[in-house]
Amino acid sequence: MNEYLTETPFLNFNSPEVRDFADQFRAISSEREKAVEIYYRIRDKFIYDPYHLDLRPEALIASLILSKKRAWCVEKAILMASVLRAVEIPSRLGFGIVVNHIGVEKLVRYLRREEIVFHGYVEVYLENKWVKATPAFDPLVCRAAGVDPLEWDGKNDAMFQEFSKGKKFMEYVHFYGTFHDVPVKLMNEEMKKYYPHLFSDIYDSKEFSFFHI
């Protein structure tokens, strides 16, 4: 379990920025309640933004992510895992491939396929078991897409709903497994396999940007 409590160059929870952010949760006595508060704070602190992706190691650092107003799922997962470790709750990162069926026409146009590769979530060790949490979609984005925000109670897995209001919403088509740290090399390799054009051309505009190793 030690590796899921350890600081890494990406999950740099001993940095002043992450440590100060984590301080607001330390007084909560229950580990489960503490984890749930962290989930909601990070879910709602950033507007979900899948249109500006940076897969370079220097961009995937928790303290840097904290300075942003917008973040994509991997960034939110990194920060949540870091803050959990800062308050001594074991955490690990999970990644998968999903197909989103609601409100992603613009994103699909940039990606040139429907699969969203390396969607990130967090697994938290609470009450002697690992529980999944997905802090990606903030309420503002959910409202725009016409779906309900994903709630989490710290007891049950909070993965994206398969259906929302009678419509097919999110479909998981592959899981990469869990990792104690950010698998930057694998992330770049998998995205290059699915989106080769993003690695051969330059994308750096206000509408969409993509950087890689």
Side-chain angles (χ1 to χ4, degrees):
M1 195 62 69
N2 282 344
E3 66 179 340
Y4 302 121
L5 288 165
T6 302
E7 185 179 42
T8 76
F10 299 107
L11 281 63
N12 62 337
F13 60 78
N14 282 318
S15 64
E17 297 89 348
V18 180
R19 190 173 61 244
D20 290 349
F21 182 79
D23 282 347
Q24 64 186 299
F25 308 105
R26 297 186 194 280
I28 303 173
S29 57
S30 162
E31 278 199 348
R32 184 174 64 82
E33 291 176 6
K34 192 179 297 185
V36 169
E37 285 298 315
I38 291 169
Y39 167 81
Y40 281 108
R41 185 75 176 91
I42 290 173
R43 187 197 73 177
D44 299 347
K45 177 177 172 59
F46 309 90
I47 295 174
Y48 173 68
D49 183 0
Y51 299 103
H52 296 92
L53 311 178
D54 195 334
L55 311 188
R56 296 172 297 185
E58 60 268 28
L60 299 171
I61 300 171
S63 57
L64 174 65
I65 295 166
L66 254 179
S67 67
K68 298 185 172 187
K69 293 182 178 179
R70 295 172 174 267
W72 57 300
C73 58
V74 170
E75 292 174 322
K76 290 192 181 190
I78 289 169
L79 183 56
M80 180 175 169
S82 300
V83 176
L84 286 164
R85 292 187 191 184
V87 297
E88 300 182 349
I89 298 176
S91 66
R92 60 193 186 191
L93 298 165
F95 300 95
I97 298 176
V98 298
V99 175
N100 186 343
H101 296 276
I102 297 178
V104 288
E105 293 80 5
K106 178 182 173 183
L107 183 60
V108 169
R109 193 162 64 247
Y110 286 118
L111 300 182
R112 300 183 187 173
R113 59 189 303 161
E114 64 178 3
E115 294 93 343
I116 298 173
V117 176
F118 247 80
H119 157 69
Y121 59 94
V122 182
E123 290 195 359
V124 191
Y125 195 72
L126 295 168
E127 298 171 354
N128 300 312
K129 67 174 183 177
W130 289 101
V131 190
K132 297 178 176 67
T134 309
F137 289 177
D138 60 278
L140 183 64
V141 165
C142 289
R143 195 178 310 123
V147 299
D148 294 326
L150 185 62
E151 308 298 336
W152 188 52
D153 59 7
K155 296 179 179 180
N156 302 288
D157 290 341
M159 303 296 276
F160 283 129
Q161 309 95 315
E162 184 178 0
F163 293 91
S164 179
K165 299 178 181 176
K167 296 181 180 180
K168 194 168 184 62
F169 174 35
M170 191 69 72
E171 177 184 0
Y172 286 85
V173 297
H174 178 73
F175 286 99
Y176 290 100
T178 56
F179 303 81
H180 82 283
D181 201 4
V182 185
V184 175
K185 185 171 181 288
L186 178 62
M187 187 187 308
N188 277 265
E189 289 172 347
E190 285 297 299
M191 287 205 182
K192 188 174 184 179
K193 186 189 304 182
Y194 281 82
Y195 320 125
H197 62 288
L198 296 182
F199 289 77
S200 60
D201 300 327
I202 295 175
Y203 294 87
D204 186 12
S205 69
K206 290 182 178 180
E207 291 75 30
F208 182 80
S209 62
F210 185 88
F211 302 99
H212 55 86
I213 58 175

